[in-house]
Amino acid sequence: MSKLILTHEVTGLGSAGDVVEVKNGYARNYLIPQGFAVQWSRGGQKQVDQIKTARVARELATLEDAQSLKSKLEVSPIKLTVTAGREGRLFGSVKTGDIVAAVEAAGIGSLDKRTIELSAPNKAVGRHEATVRLRTDVVATITLEVVAAK
């Protein structure tokens, strides 16, 4: 087992600044190369404190701000225009970065792509759902309307 300090939020494992123990292969092959974690050391506590301070600064300032952003996101579907074939199948899939760009283009606000979770890859035109974790206690479910570019 490897002892790591998470630098980003990892679903099912923890949030930034948490010290976790995971299997060696998971740490060596995924968490560390992707930049989601660093090796734990005795001097790492200072780094943990910095990460937690940065996380607090990045979170939305108040619960009211998060609630208002949640209501804006859930009001209407977010329209994504993508290239697709004749059958309505996409060339690739909808990524979280695409969703962030569409939300900003709609003038709703800005999101961090790491807070968006897709239940399954979106590889066809139509309506899909995604969840956005604005804070630990505020989760928005957004509707994505994927349309083919003409």
Side-chain angles (χ1 to χ4, degrees), residues 1-6 12-14 18-24 26-27 31 37-40:
M1 298 291 282
S2 294
K3 198 169 186 180
L4 302 173
I5 301 169
L6 294 178
L13 190 57
D18 291 346
V19 177
V20 296
E21 285 192 32
V22 296
K23 292 193 176 190
N24 292 332
Y26 186 48
L31 293 175
V38 294
Q39 284 289 342
W40 181 86

Side-chain angles (χ1 to χ4, degrees), residues 8-14 26 114 116-117 133:
H8 293 76
E9 184 170 343
V10 179
T11 304
L13 190 57
Y26 186 48
R114 294 178 298 235
I116 300 172
E117 294 178 5
R133 188 179 311 112

Side-chain angles (χ1 to χ4, degrees), residues 58 60 69 73 99-101 103-105 107-113 115-116 132 134:
R58 257 194 332 268
L60 293 173
L69 183 55
L73 287 170
I99 297 170
V100 169
V103 168
E104 289 177 358
I108 296 172
S110 67
L111 299 174
D112 185 1
K113 70 179 185 177
T115 62
I116 300 172
V132 180
L134 301 171

Side-chain angles (χ1 to χ4, degrees), residues 69-119:
L69 183 55
K70 176 184 175 181
S71 65
K72 288 179 189 175
L73 287 170
E74 292 179 342
V75 164
S76 62
I78 306 298
K79 186 175 180 180
L80 289 154
T81 305
V82 294
T83 54
R86 288 186 181 158
E87 306 293 320
R89 198 157 161 80
L90 304 184
F91 298 124
S93 64
V94 174
K95 307 277 191 263
T96 56
D98 301 332
I99 297 170
V100 169
V103 168
E104 289 177 358
I108 296 172
S110 67
L111 299 174
D112 185 1
K113 70 179 185 177
R114 294 178 298 235
T115 62
I116 300 172
E117 294 178 5
L118 299 168
S119 58

